[in-house]
Coordinates of all heavy atoms in Angstrom, one line a residue:
Q13 N 2.5 -0.7 -18.4 CA 3.8 -1.3 -18.9 C 3.8 -2.8 -18.8 O 4.3 -3.4 -19.7 CB 4.9 -0.7 -18.0 CG 6.3 -1.0 -18.5 CD 7.4 -0.4 -17.7 OE1 7.1 -0.1 -16.5 NE2 8.5 -0.2 -18.2
K14 N 3.2 -3.3 -17.8 CA 3.2 -4.8 -17.6 C 2.2 -5.4 -18.7 O 2.5 -6.5 -19.3 CB 2.7 -5.2 -16.2 CG 3.7 -5.0 -15.2 CD 3.3 -5.7 -13.9 CE 4.4 -5.8 -12.9 NZ 4.0 -6.6 -11.7
A15 N 1.1 -4.7 -19.0 CA 0.2 -5.2 -20.0 C 0.9 -5.3 -21.4 O 0.7 -6.2 -22.1 CB -1.1 -4.4 -20.0
R16 N 1.7 -4.2 -21.7 CA 2.3 -4.2 -23.0 C 3.3 -5.3 -23.1 O 3.6 -5.8 -24.2 CB 3.0 -2.8 -23.2 CG 2.0 -1.7 -23.4 CD 2.8 -0.5 -24.0 NE 3.9 0.0 -23.1 CZ 3.7 0.9 -22.2 NH1 2.5 1.5 -22.0 NH2 4.8 1.3 -21.5
H17 N 4.0 -5.7 -22.0 CA 5.0 -6.7 -22.1 C 4.4 -8.1 -21.8 O 5.2 -9.1 -21.6 CB 6.1 -6.4 -21.1 CG 6.9 -5.2 -21.5 ND1 6.5 -3.9 -21.3 CD2 8.1 -5.1 -22.2 CE1 7.5 -3.1 -21.7 NE2 8.4 -3.8 -22.3
G18 N 3.1 -8.2 -21.6 CA 2.5 -9.5 -21.5 C 2.5 -10.1 -20.0 O 2.3 -11.3 -19.8
F19 N 2.8 -9.2 -19.0 CA 2.7 -9.7 -17.7 C 1.3 -9.5 -17.1 O 0.6 -8.5 -17.4 CB 3.7 -8.8 -16.8 CG 5.2 -9.1 -17.1 CD1 5.8 -8.2 -18.0 CD2 5.8 -10.2 -16.6 CE1 7.2 -8.5 -18.3 CE2 7.2 -10.4 -16.9 CZ 7.8 -9.6 -17.7
R20 N 0.9 -10.4 -16.3 CA -0.5 -10.3 -15.7 C -0.4 -9.6 -14.4 O 0.7 -9.6 -13.7 CB -1.1 -11.7 -15.5 CG -0.3 -12.6 -14.5 CD -1.0 -13.9 -14.3 NE -2.3 -13.7 -13.6 CZ -2.4 -13.7 -12.3 NH1 -1.4 -13.9 -11.5 NH2 -3.6 -13.5 -11.8
L21 N -1.4 -9.0 -14.0 CA -1.5 -8.3 -12.7 C -1.9 -9.3 -11.6 O -2.7 -10.2 -11.8 CB -2.5 -7.2 -12.7 CG -2.3 -6.1 -13.7 CD1 -3.4 -5.0 -13.6 CD2 -0.9 -5.4 -13.4
T22 N -1.2 -9.2 -10.5 CA -1.4 -10.1 -9.4 C -2.6 -9.5 -8.5 O -3.0 -8.3 -8.7 CB -0.2 -10.3 -8.5 OG1 0.1 -9.0 -7.9 CG2 1.0 -10.8 -9.3
A23 N -3.1 -10.4 -7.6 CA -4.2 -9.9 -6.8 C -3.7 -8.8 -5.9 O -4.5 -7.9 -5.5 CB -4.8 -11.1 -6.0
R24 N -2.5 -8.9 -5.4 CA -2.0 -7.8 -4.5 C -1.9 -6.5 -5.2 O -2.1 -5.4 -4.7 CB -0.6 -8.3 -3.9 CG -0.1 -7.3 -2.9 CD 1.2 -7.7 -2.3 NE 1.7 -6.7 -1.3 CZ 2.8 -6.9 -0.7 NH1 3.6 -7.9 -0.8 NH2 3.2 -5.9 0.2
E25 N -1.5 -6.5 -6.5 CA -1.3 -5.3 -7.3 C -2.7 -4.7 -7.5 O -2.8 -3.4 -7.4 CB -0.7 -5.6 -8.6 CG 0.8 -5.9 -8.5 CD 1.4 -6.4 -9.8 OE1 0.7 -6.9 -10.6 OE2 2.7 -6.2 -10.0
R26 N -3.7 -5.5 -7.7 CA -5.1 -4.9 -7.9 C -5.6 -4.4 -6.6 O -6.2 -3.3 -6.5 CB -6.0 -6.0 -8.4 CG -5.8 -6.4 -9.8 CD -6.9 -7.3 -10.4 NE -7.0 -8.6 -9.7 CZ -6.3 -9.7 -10.1 NH1 -5.6 -9.6 -11.1 NH2 -6.5 -10.8 -9.4
R27 N -5.3 -5.0 -5.5 CA -5.7 -4.5 -4.2 C -4.9 -3.2 -3.9 O -5.5 -2.3 -3.3 CB -5.4 -5.5 -3.1 CG -5.6 -4.9 -1.7 CD -5.4 -5.9 -0.6 NE -5.4 -5.2 0.7 CZ -5.5 -5.8 1.9 NH1 -5.6 -7.1 1.9 NH2 -5.6 -5.1 3.0
R28 N -3.7 -3.1 -4.2 CA -2.9 -1.9 -4.0 C -3.5 -0.7 -4.7 O -3.6 0.4 -4.1 CB -1.5 -2.1 -4.4 CG -0.5 -1.0 -4.0 CD 0.9 -1.3 -4.5 NE 1.3 -2.6 -4.0 CZ 2.3 -3.3 -4.5 NH1 3.0 -2.9 -5.5 NH2 2.6 -4.5 -4.0
R29 N -4.0 -0.9 -5.9 CA -4.7 0.2 -6.6 C -6.0 0.6 -5.9 O -6.2 1.8 -5.8 CB -4.9 -0.3 -8.0 CG -5.7 0.8 -8.8 CD -5.8 0.4 -10.3 NE -6.6 1.4 -11.0 CZ -6.7 1.5 -12.3 NH1 -6.0 0.6 -13.1 NH2 -7.4 2.4 -12.9
N30 N -6.7 -0.4 -5.4 CA -8.0 -0.1 -4.7 C -7.7 0.7 -3.4 O -8.4 1.6 -3.1 CB -8.7 -1.4 -4.4 CG -9.2 -2.1 -5.7 OD1 -9.5 -1.4 -6.7 ND2 -9.4 -3.4 -5.6
D31 N -6.6 0.3 -2.8 CA -6.2 1.0 -1.5 C -5.9 2.4 -1.8 O -6.3 3.3 -1.0 CB -5.0 0.3 -0.9 CG -5.4 -1.1 -0.3 OD1 -6.6 -1.3 0.0 OD2 -4.5 -1.9 0.0
V32 N -5.1 2.7 -2.9 CA -4.8 4.1 -3.2 C -6.0 4.9 -3.6 O -6.1 6.1 -3.2 CB -3.7 4.1 -4.3 CG1 -3.3 5.6 -4.6 CG2 -2.4 3.4 -3.8
E33 N -6.9 4.3 -4.3 CA -8.1 5.0 -4.7 C -9.0 5.3 -3.4 O -9.5 6.4 -3.3 CB -8.9 4.1 -5.6 CG -8.3 4.0 -7.0 CD -9.1 3.1 -8.0 OE1 -9.9 2.3 -7.4 OE2 -8.8 3.1 -9.2
S34 N -9.0 4.4 -2.5 CA -9.7 4.6 -1.2 C -9.0 5.8 -0.4 O -9.7 6.6 0.1 CB -9.8 3.4 -0.4 OG -10.5 2.3 -1.0
R35 N -7.7 5.7 -0.4 CA -7.0 6.8 0.3 C -7.2 8.2 -0.4 O -7.5 9.1 0.3 CB -5.5 6.5 0.2 CG -4.5 7.6 0.7 CD -3.1 7.2 0.3 NE -2.2 8.3 0.5 CZ -0.9 8.3 0.1 NH1 -0.5 7.2 -0.6 NH2 -0.1 9.3 0.3
E36 N -7.3 8.2 -1.7 CA -7.5 9.5 -2.4 C -8.9 10.0 -2.1 O -9.2 11.2 -1.9 CB -7.3 9.3 -3.9 CG -7.4 10.6 -4.7 CD -7.2 10.3 -6.2 OE1 -7.6 9.3 -6.7 OE2 -6.5 11.2 -6.8
R37 N -9.9 9.0 -2.0 CA -11.3 9.4 -1.7 C -11.4 9.9 -0.3 O -12.1 10.9 0.0 CB -12.2 8.2 -1.9 CG -13.7 8.5 -1.7 CD -14.5 7.3 -2.1 NE -14.2 6.1 -1.5 CZ -13.5 5.1 -2.0 NH1 -13.1 5.2 -3.3 NH2 -13.3 4.0 -1.3
E38 N -10.7 9.3 0.7 CA -10.8 9.8 2.1 C -10.1 11.1 2.2 O -10.6 12.0 3.0 CB -10.1 8.7 3.0 CG -10.8 7.4 3.1 CD -10.0 6.4 3.8 OE1 -8.8 6.7 4.1 OE2 -10.5 5.3 4.0
L39 N -9.0 11.4 1.5 CA -8.4 12.7 1.6 C -9.3 13.8 1.0 O -9.4 14.9 1.5 CB -7.1 12.7 0.8 CG -6.0 11.9 1.5 CD1 -4.8 11.8 0.6 CD2 -5.5 12.6 2.8
A40 N -10.1 13.4 -0.1 CA -11.0 14.4 -0.7 C -12.1 14.7 0.3 O -12.7 15.8 0.3 CB -11.5 13.8 -2.0
E41 N -12.5 13.8 1.2 CA -13.5 14.0 2.2 C -13.0 14.8 3.4 O -13.8 15.1 4.3 CB -14.1 12.7 2.6 CG -14.8 11.9 1.5 CD -15.2 10.5 1.9 OE1 -14.8 10.1 3.1 OE2 -15.9 9.8 1.2
G42 N -11.6 15.0 3.5 CA -11.1 15.8 4.6 C -10.5 15.0 5.7 O -10.1 15.6 6.7
H43 N -10.3 13.7 5.6 CA -9.7 12.9 6.6 C -8.2 13.2 6.7 O -7.5 13.2 5.6 CB -9.9 11.4 6.5 CG -11.4 11.1 6.6 ND1 -12.0 11.0 7.8 CD2 -12.3 10.8 5.6 CE1 -13.3 10.7 7.6 NE2 -13.5 10.5 6.2
P44 N -7.6 13.4 7.8 CA -6.1 13.6 7.9 C -5.3 12.4 7.6 O -5.9 11.2 7.8 CB -5.9 14.1 9.3 CG -7.0 13.5 10.1 CD -8.2 13.5 9.2
E45 N -4.1 12.5 7.2 CA -3.2 11.3 7.0 C -2.0 11.4 7.8 O -1.4 12.5 8.0 CB -2.9 11.3 5.5 CG -1.9 10.1 5.1 CD -1.7 10.0 3.6 OE1 -2.5 9.5 2.9 OE2 -0.6 10.5 3.2
F46 N -1.6 10.2 8.3 CA -0.3 10.1 9.0 C 0.5 9.0 8.4 O 0.0 7.8 8.2 CB -0.6 9.7 10.5 CG -1.1 10.9 11.3 CD1 -2.4 11.3 11.3 CD2 -0.2 11.6 12.2 CE1 -2.9 12.3 12.0 CE2 -0.7 12.6 12.9 CZ -2.0 13.0 12.9
R47 N 1.7 9.2 8.0 CA 2.6 8.1 7.7 C 3.0 7.4 9.0 O 3.2 8.1 10.0 CB 3.9 8.6 7.0 CG 3.6 9.3 5.6 CD 4.9 9.5 4.9 NE 4.7 10.3 3.7 CZ 5.0 11.6 3.6 NH1 5.5 12.2 4.6 NH2 4.8 12.2 2.4
F48 N 3.3 6.2 9.0 CA 3.6 5.5 10.2 C 4.5 4.3 9.9 O 4.5 3.7 8.8 CB 2.4 5.0 10.9 CG 1.5 4.1 10.1 CD1 1.6 2.7 10.2 CD2 0.5 4.6 9.3 CE1 0.8 1.9 9.4 CE2 -0.3 3.8 8.6 CZ -0.2 2.4 8.6
V49 N 5.3 4.0 10.9 CA 6.2 2.8 10.8 C 6.3 2.2 12.2 O 6.2 2.9 13.2 CB 7.7 3.3 10.3 CG1 8.3 4.2 11.3 CG2 8.5 2.1 10.0
G50 N 6.4 0.9 12.3 CA 6.5 0.2 13.6 C 7.8 -0.5 13.8 O 8.4 -1.1 12.8
I51 N 8.3 -0.5 15.0 CA 9.6 -1.1 15.3 C 9.3 -1.9 16.7 O 8.7 -1.3 17.6 CB 10.7 -0.2 15.5 CG1 10.9 0.7 14.2 CG2 12.0 -0.9 15.8 CD1 11.9 1.9 14.4
V52 N 9.8 -3.1 16.8 CA 9.6 -3.9 18.0 C 11.0 -4.3 18.4 O 11.8 -4.9 17.6 CB 8.8 -5.1 17.8 CG1 8.7 -5.9 19.0 CG2 7.4 -4.7 17.3
T53 N 11.4 -4.0 19.6 CA 12.7 -4.3 20.2 C 12.6 -5.2 21.4 O 11.9 -4.9 22.3 CB 13.5 -3.0 20.6 OG1 13.6 -2.1 19.4 CG2 14.9 -3.3 21.1
V54 N 13.3 -6.3 21.3 CA 13.3 -7.3 22.4 C 14.6 -7.3 23.1 O 15.7 -7.1 22.5 CB 13.1 -8.8 21.8 CG1 12.9 -9.8 22.9 CG2 11.9 -8.8 20.9
T55 N 14.5 -7.3 24.5 CA 15.7 -7.2 25.3 C 15.8 -8.4 26.3 O 14.8 -8.8 26.8 CB 15.6 -5.9 26.1 OG1 15.4 -4.8 25.2 CG2 16.9 -5.6 26.9
A56 N 17.0 -8.8 26.5 CA 17.3 -9.9 27.4 C 18.7 -9.8 28.0 O 19.5 -9.1 27.5 CB 17.1 -11.3 26.8
G57 N 18.9 -10.6 29.1 CA 20.2 -10.5 29.7 C 21.3 -11.4 29.1 O 22.5 -11.2 29.3
T58 N 20.9 -12.4 28.4 CA 21.8 -13.3 27.7 C 21.4 -13.6 26.3 O 20.2 -13.3 25.9 CB 21.9 -14.7 28.4 OG1 20.7 -15.4 28.4 CG2 22.3 -14.5 29.9
E59 N 22.3 -14.1 25.5 CA 21.9 -14.4 24.1 C 20.9 -15.5 24.0 O 20.0 -15.4 23.1 CB 23.2 -14.8 23.3 CG 24.2 -13.6 23.2 CD 25.3 -14.0 22.3 OE1 25.2 -14.0 21.0 OE2 26.4 -14.3 22.8

């Protein structure tokens, strides 16, 4: 869609495609997958 409208692909978009291809290949080899998210909470006694 971007190519039809004259938009160029960024380096991050090309890397994202390579990452998904690597992920698909690893799944085909039988490696398990986990979705993950990280949260960091800081605590103090005063503002």
Side-chain angles (χ1 to χ4, degrees):
Q13 187 179 23
K14 283 193 170 185
R16 287 197 303 268
H17 291 83
F19 292 96
R20 63 177 294 272
L21 297 180
T22 64
R24 183 176 182 182
E25 289 172 332
R26 291 192 294 269
R27 171 178 173 167
R28 190 178 304 161
R29 176 172 178 169
N30 294 334
D31 289 340
V32 177
E33 290 176 344
S34 299
R35 171 189 170 194
E36 189 179 36
R37 183 171 58 254
E38 291 172 355
L39 290 171
E41 294 172 354
H43 296 284
E45 178 175 280
F46 286 79
R47 299 191 187 101
F48 56 92
V49 65
I51 305 168
V52 179
T53 302
V54 187
T55 306
T58 64
E59 294 186 78

